[in-house]
Amino acid sequence: MRLTAKNWQGLALTAVLLGVAACLPLLTTAYWLTIGVTIALYTVLATSWALFSGPTHYISLATAAFFGVGTYTTGLGIEHLPYWVLPPLAGLIGAALAALVGLATLRLSGVYFVIFTLGLAEFIRQIITWGQTVSGTKGIYVLTSITEAHIYWQLLGLAGLVWLLGWLIGRSRLGFALRIIGDDEEVARHSGIHTARAKVLLFMVPGAFAAITGAVLAPRYVYIEPILAFTPMLSFQVVIMALLGGTGRLWGPVVGVIPFTFLWEGISASVPNQTTLLLGVAFLVIVYVLPRGFVGLIEDARARVNRAEGYA
Amino acid sequence: MDVIVTGLLLGGTYALIAMGLNLQYGMARIMNLANGEMLVAGAFAAFWLYGAGQVSPFLTVVLVAPLAFALNWAIYMVFLGPLVKRAKSRGQLEVDAILTTFGLSFVAVGIMLAVFGGDYFSYSYLSFPVALLGGTYGANRLAAFVAAVAICGALYLWLNRSRPGMSIRAIAVAPDSARLVGIDVGRLAALAFALGGAVTATGGALISTFLTLDASTGVLFTLKALVIVIMGGVGDVRGTVVAALMLGLLETFVASVIDPGLTLAAAYLLFVTILLFRPQGLFGRKTA
């Protein structure tokens, strides 16, 4: 594969920015590190979400399900396996689960997929809760020596991995096929693209990454319960951040994650009961004001500047 | 026997709720994910009126239905109508409608949390036992079931026998051709949407007589209604009723035999089975 100068520039810039971000734990207070973890967490989730939902326009609400599965992988596995095995293992489980979900629903219209993924987290949560009632256990303790900074670095590494993977997919035949599917599925099918297989393959990416993220974050919770690991709010927040930023570009979701995280923190600190209202308003803003997200705004502005320069 | 009757009673009320969603999704072509919140709002109204003035929930319905109708009409006109006009394809409309109604549902939950607080609420109305077929059941469940059957029956007749009903079925089948025979598709879609909202809110008022609810339970009912609508076939009134009864039976069975915490999981499994084997619904015909 041949890389242009612009490609190298992009790669180098991303690496430098990640390097700068990696210095955060060395410089700041615990509060900012917590914010940093939150931002890195949602960056991984929202970017991998957008990899699938951007080109295909399927809205997945399964993030919480995969995340919870990852959390439980660490929770159940930590006593038997060394920690470093667990996130990759969670990734495999997440990808397998995503493949199953994809096989069941991705042949059908988008509405079925939304409902299916919306129910998935609740379904797994009820099963685990029931399993706990039957076996008489409550939550699980995850006691490790992993600190907030370690989690932060792992998440940054994951973010880098998501970007790299997204960039590679964009350049591959799969990425090309997905763009055609996104434009017109009928056309894609007629030109010999196996649409269902392409969608299932791609859906495994957010599944795996959300599960790995859950596995990485488990030590932070210390005590894991179903209601905590499978919180449905997570799925919605990820959707909003990704769409707010814009799914058309690889860097789009981050642009949504950062402001929304601060907004969310601000609202939960001042009026904690109104975060639901904030979510609702954010959805409406996305549909009516920012259908292409911040990315759309930025690109419109850039186009306007270019045009102005052209005429001058 | 106990399980069967309780399940059928519950299923009857579910049928009413799902009928509301079916009018909105099957007829007006809006996947309304804020449907459950309309239900909770109806339930709140019944709760509040009962608490304030001992008004019977069955009288509240007379007030709730027109209010919900007006509110849903307004929602359609303000939020969804513009989306229908803007959408270039059915898929685009679906994505926009899903995001918008999710937004509306969160806004509704937020407002209800602010107004009523996050507590569970329930009241006791008609909670004396009635003997029936060798078992005893709450009179409130029985009354809710009878009301639901009456409303479902009226809706079925209206859709199949009246002229506006026929027009609504026409826009459900072929919105483009309906325009050619002089049907005002936009107005009728709004009508179907508003009617669906009214039916759901009515279902909420009825269900509040025997179930305990809180401001954020709406989404569970949305999920159940969706499962029923898809299982019965989108736009199919008969299928909705059968599917609702099946779901009621299944939930009651699971709750009494295995564990009450698994009712949603059971509904979900049923949904998965339907998706895998009959994605067109129980009575639907296979389309391309």
Side-chain angles (χ1 to χ4, degrees), chain B residues 176-191:
Chain B
D176 293 334
S177 317
R179 191 169 285 125
L180 296 179
V181 293
I183 294 173
D184 187 343
V185 175
R187 209 180 64 86
L188 269 177
L191 178 72

Side-chain angles (χ1 to χ4, degrees), chain A residues 11 17 30 76 84 93 106 125 167 174 188 198 204 206 225 229 238 285 310:
Chain A
L11 282 177
L17 285 178
L76 295 171
W84 58 266
I93 298 175
L106 285 173
R125 190 173 72 80
W167 181 69
L174 179 64
M204 290 164 75
E225 297 181 290
V238 167
V285 166

Side-chain angles (χ1 to χ4, degrees), chain B residues 91-119:
Chain B
Q92 177 69 44
L93 175 60
E94 237 159 36
V95 171
D96 280 350
I98 287 168
L99 293 177
T100 307
T101 53
F102 259 136
L104 291 173
S105 117
F106 281 123
V107 169
V109 171
I111 292 173
M112 288 193 286
L113 273 178
V115 177
F116 294 97
D119 297 336

Side-chain angles (χ1 to χ4, degrees), chain A residues 57 59 61 104-105 108 111-112 114-116 119-120 122-123 126 130 236 243 274 276-277 280-281 283-284 287-288, chain B residues 25 31 79 83 86 94-95 98-100 102-103 106-107 114 226 230 258-259 261-262 264-265 268 272 275 279:
Chain A
H57 305 301
I59 296 169
L61 293 170
T105 52
L108 303 165
V111 172
Y112 297 79
V114 175
I115 302 161
F116 194 97
L120 188 65
E122 190 63 19
F123 173 68
Q126 287 202 346
W130 177 64
F236 291 107
L243 291 176
Q274 288 314 326
T276 353
L277 196 60
V281 173
F283 266 120
L284 296 178
V287 176
Y288 294 99
Chain B
Y25 183 53
M31 172 48 86
F79 290 104
L83 290 183
R86 167 175 113 179
E94 237 159 36
V95 171
I98 287 168
L99 293 177
T100 307
F102 259 136
F106 281 123
V107 169
L226 285 169
I230 286 168
I258 310 176
D259 187 308
L262 284 176
L264 194 74
Y268 189 72
V272 175
L275 275 192

